[in-house]
Amino acid sequence: AQKITQTQPGMFVQEKEAVTLDCTYDTSDQSYGLFWYKQPSSGEMIFLIYQGSYDEQNATEGRYSLNFQKARKSANLVISASQLGDSAMYFCAMRGSNTGNQFYFGTGTSLTVIP
Amino acid sequence: NAGVMQNPRHLVRRRGQEARLRCSPMKGHSHVYWYRQLPEEGLKFMVYLQKENIIDESGMPKERFSAEFPKEGPSILRIQQVVRGDSAAYFCASSGPPRGSGYGYTFGSGTRLTVV
């Protein structure tokens, strides 16, 4: 079975500080992909970053980086230098090579950036 | 705009009516996926379609829900005889041909269905 767990319903961070959003996963697939999406109050789903299970380097995209610890089955999102526009819901998601038709999403973390 | 287009953005239906949600995939994409997001939850997979074919409908409720992706035109998610519990955001995504686990979707902006 595939499962994504996000244990932080809500997080606060001071503007310009870094913040880590937690994500753990469970899968029996040997090959899988991990994704983070941002959902602002307007509702759309915005792709942020991707990590493949065989990638040796942690993924980075601008101010976003993914702290991938395979043995711990964790894929935490790190946002550096937080901005007010980062306030949104953040969803961790996974797709396995044997269940490639669908993503499994966590329940999300609501991030609020404080000026 | 070459992204995934969903319409309408907001849809209000009375209990018992039909809801039709439309999705036009990104240019060049022939694979469409529908997801539902209930309040305070993450997205849940409903159905995966290619042109004129339903590939995986394991997440679709057995009754009242159907989906199609005709040869011409957008993909349609149809909900018959809507009930209050159908109120949710419905997202469509599209992709090119699947390549293992490493490819991503492009999501549309969603349709927010409210049943009154």
Side-chain angles (χ1 to χ4, degrees):
Chain A
Q2 322 284 338
K3 188 177 180 183
I4 291 281
T5 302
Q6 294 180 256
T7 57
Q8 305 155 313
M11 291 280 287
F12 292 86
V13 64
Q14 203 75 37
E15 194 178 5
K16 299 180 185 175
E17 297 290 315
V19 63
T20 297
L21 306 184
D22 294 342
C23 172
T24 58
Y25 60 91
D26 194 14
T27 180
S28 54
D29 286 355
Q30 294 300 310
S31 175
Y32 49 89
L34 295 155
F35 302 76
W36 278 91
Y37 283 87
K38 173 183 178 181
Q39 187 177 44
S41 58
S42 50
E44 68 269 34
M45 294 290 287
I46 302 168
F47 166 75
L48 295 178
I49 196 166
Y50 160 79
Q51 177 86 41
S53 58
Y54 289 115
D55 293 343
E56 294 185 352
Q57 302 269 16
N58 285 343
T60 60
E61 289 286 348
R63 294 186 299 111
Y64 304 108
S65 60
L66 201 153
N67 184 359
F68 180 45
Q69 297 189 41
K70 194 170 182 177
R72 294 185 179 183
K73 293 192 174 180
S74 74
N76 298 339
L77 177 71
V78 180
I79 305 174
S80 62
S82 297
Q83 301 172 356
L84 295 178
D86 293 335
S87 294
M89 283 291 291
Y90 289 81
F91 291 96
C92 181
M94 177 178 67
R95 173 194 283 116
S97 56
N98 292 327
T99 56
N101 295 331
Q102 58 179 285
F103 278 106
Y104 293 84
F105 281 84
T107 51
T109 295
S110 175
L111 176 67
T112 302
V113 180
I114 303 166
Chain B
N1 187 342
V4 178
M5 302 301 294
Q6 287 189 252
N7 64 81
R9 288 296 305 273
H10 300 275
L11 182 61
V12 179
R13 284 287 177 266
R14 296 187 183 279
R15 279 179 293 171
Q17 291 184 321
E18 179 178 281
R20 283 195 178 205
L21 288 62
R22 294 175 188 78
C23 170
S24 296
M26 261 184 88
K27 190 175 181 181
H29 286 180
S30 58
H31 301 252
V32 165
Y33 314 78
W34 285 93
Y35 282 74
R36 177 166 64 176
Q37 184 181 28
L38 294 170
E40 311 299 322
E41 292 187 15
L43 278 67
K44 297 279 195 308
F45 170 79
M46 299 182 76
V47 63
Y48 162 39
L49 310 104
Q50 294 178 31
K51 289 280 187 181
E52 301 185 282
N53 282 308
I54 297 174
I55 307 302
D56 180 355
E57 56 181 349
S58 58
M60 284 280 270
K62 294 286 187 283
E63 297 178 350
R64 301 187 298 108
F65 284 72
S66 63
E68 62 177 11
F69 189 16
K71 188 175 180 181
E72 301 291 337
S75 176
I76 305 286
L77 179 68
R78 184 182 292 112
I79 311 171
Q80 296 177 303
Q81 299 176 336
V82 296
V83 300
R84 288 232 171 101
D86 296 333
S87 295
Y90 292 83
F91 285 90
C92 170
S94 72
S95 75
R99 301 184 305 274
S101 60
Y103 67 100
Y105 300 160
T106 301
F107 278 93
S109 296
T111 292
R112 274 135 193 92
L113 172 65
T114 303
V115 179
V116 297

